[in-house]
Amino acid sequence: MLIRTRNRQGDNRYILRMIEEELIPYAKEARPDTTVSRTEIYERLRKGKVWVLSREANGKPVGFVLFHKRGEELLIEMLAVDRKYQSCGFGGRLMDAVEQFGRRNGCKSAKLFVDEPNPSAQKFYSRRGYVISDYYLAHRCFSLSKSLH
């Protein structure tokens, strides 16, 4: 498996499927009135950096991470791994790569959000050293952060 930059034409449909199957259900469970259009998803993907994990240089993505560098903070906006490949260490590989990017580019901390109804993700990030920094009751989500030093 290798980590590479997203190829918009070849990867978007796989990334969209992972978002719809692995992320949106938790958002809707936390906030039943949540609606997310494909246009909105593509706009978020366009604005950030997207890396995918695939078997080959142009192969089908089995996971992806969307992130931004904001000053000295690395914001990890989305991370998903295809259900068939979960618990294989692929999410950890993506996180290692993006955290290393943050360190190399002067980020002192990383931040992300996890929906309350997603205890597996909370546990995953906790094992990686992320701690709860805030809770947003209206959104039923946690803000997690980690020092990158």
Side-chain angles (χ1 to χ4, degrees):
M1 293 285 184
L2 61 93
I3 296 173
R4 60 177 174 76
T5 302
R6 166 182 67 128
N7 171 327
R8 290 181 187 186
Q9 290 181 337
D11 296 337
N12 276 356
R13 70 174 184 250
Y14 299 109
I15 292 170
L16 181 63
R17 185 180 49 75
M18 283 185 267
I19 292 169
E20 290 174 339
E21 293 178 2
E22 306 300 335
L23 301 177
I24 291 176
Y26 292 111
K28 286 188 175 196
E29 187 175 343
R31 299 167 304 284
D33 60 338
T34 296
T35 58
V36 182
S37 71
R38 286 185 173 190
T39 302
E40 180 183 353
I41 291 169
Y42 289 135
E43 182 64 16
R44 288 172 72 180
L45 293 172
R46 186 187 66 73
K47 287 183 177 179
K49 291 187 181 300
V50 182
W51 290 350
V52 300
L53 184 73
S54 65
R55 293 177 195 246
E56 301 144 8
N58 291 315
K60 170 185 159 185
V62 300
F64 80 94
V65 61
L66 165 64
F67 60 99
H68 310 267
K69 181 183 180 298
R70 292 190 321 192
E72 295 181 336
E73 182 178 70
L74 178 69
L75 176 61
I76 301 163
E77 190 172 335
M78 288 188 227
L79 170 75
V81 174
D82 187 296
R83 190 167 289 136
K84 293 181 286 194
Y85 297 95
Q86 291 179 2
S87 299
C88 296
F90 298 144
R93 286 188 56 194
L94 285 163
M95 288 298 292
D96 287 344
V98 76
E99 288 171 3
Q100 185 63 18
F101 168 89
R103 286 183 195 95
R104 283 192 320 265
N105 288 278
C107 293
K108 294 183 178 178
S109 64
K111 179 178 181 178
L112 54 89
F113 297 90
V114 177
D115 291 309
E116 181 184 340
N118 192 349
S120 296
Q122 294 166 34
K123 185 176 176 182
F124 169 79
Y125 293 118
S126 176
R127 285 192 314 261
R128 299 194 54 78
Y130 285 81
V131 295
I132 296 172
S133 54
D134 212 342
Y135 177 74
Y136 300 94
L137 180 62
H139 298 285
R140 291 188 59 214
C141 81
F142 297 98
S143 171
L144 305 177
S145 60
K146 172 183 176 175
S147 171
L148 293 179
H149 290 290

